[in-house]
Amino acid sequence: MAIFSCRSGNGRAESAMRFCLVFFVFVFSALSARAETAQTAFSEAIDLFEAALPNLPAEMVSVDIATYRDALTLRQFRSAYWGGSISLDVAEAGEGAERSCKDFAAFVRLPPQDGKLVLTLCPQFSTPGADALRRLTIIHEMVHVVAGPDECRAMAFAARVEEAATGTFTPVDRYWAANNCAASAFSLPR
């Protein structure tokens, strides 16, 4: 762990303090912007889900809609899948996440530990101009939070929510094929 010191022992205290102030403002601004990006993504995912809700059944692709709604909006829920009460934390990728972040914008470590799951947001989650992708990433990852690791289920669910809300869905053909989802119990909307 690196420790940064804003003390100067060479008589340039004023310059060092200016540098430190600029450095801390930059770091705080970057962290604040990433937190705002995550909160905006959650808000937009909630808006999309709520727009779809009147068109959704009580259960869709083996995901209980009421449980999913609690997880998405409250970040806590009672889980039949995991057994018991589960809370969700959202974190920025840290040490040890490099491998998972290489291929994903976000991921959830499963199963829950002590009644908690962590949704980790990778650096590419904050890519400028990727608002729709962030919103769908949250919708997709929350399926893992509620119903486990099945990628095909998560893709099918996200596509159905998007279609129910907007009348169309984002194509995921390459990812669908890469996960051999044609052979799964799930399907994309037609």
Side-chain angles (χ1 to χ4, degrees):
M1 176 180 193
I3 298 176
F4 180 80
S5 174
C6 284
R7 294 190 327 212
S8 174
N10 63 5
R12 297 186 192 170
E14 191 174 312
S15 292
M17 289 308 289
R18 261 192 239 127
F19 171 79
C20 287
L21 180 61
V22 169
F23 176 78
F24 287 122
V25 167
F26 173 76
V27 168
F28 179 76
S29 295
L31 292 173
S32 179
R34 288 189 357 212
E36 185 176 319
T37 298
Q39 186 54 48
T40 298
F42 261 93
S43 294
E44 290 178 1
I46 290 167
D47 290 347
L48 182 73
F49 181 76
E50 292 296 327
L53 193 56
N55 302 315
L56 300 179
E59 184 177 289
M60 183 172 67
V61 298
S62 302
V63 176
D64 180 79
I65 297 300
T67 300
Y68 181 91
R69 187 181 194 197
D70 285 348
L72 179 65
T73 60
L74 304 173
R75 297 188 192 175
Q76 56 187 3
F77 59 102
R78 183 110 182 107
S79 176
Y81 184 85
W82 300 114
S85 295
I86 306 293
S87 64
L88 175 70
D89 290 331
V90 179
E92 296 289 328
E95 287 186 40
E98 296 84 11
R99 190 168 143 223
S100 295
C101 283
K102 186 179 110 195
D103 297 320
F104 304 108
F107 64 91
V108 179
R109 291 223 190 270
L110 303 174
Q113 299 296 316
D114 300 320
K116 290 188 178 196
L117 286 168
V118 177
L119 169 59
T120 301
L121 304 177
C122 297
Q124 59 265 41
F125 184 84
S126 298
T127 302
D131 296 341
L133 176 62
R134 281 189 283 276
R135 177 182 63 225
L136 286 177
T137 297
I138 297 298
I139 295 289
H140 174 103
E141 293 302 322
M142 293 304 292
V143 175
H144 296 312
V145 166
V146 171
D150 194 302
E151 283 297 311
C152 302
R153 172 187 288 130
M155 282 187 278
F157 185 92
R160 290 174 192 279
V161 165
E162 189 177 28
E163 183 188 52
T166 68
T168 188
F169 67 96
T170 303
V172 291
D173 300 332
R174 277 187 32 224
Y175 197 51
W176 188 261
N179 284 279
N180 195 28
C181 292
S184 77
F186 306 106
S187 63
L188 295 172
R190 298 190 197 282

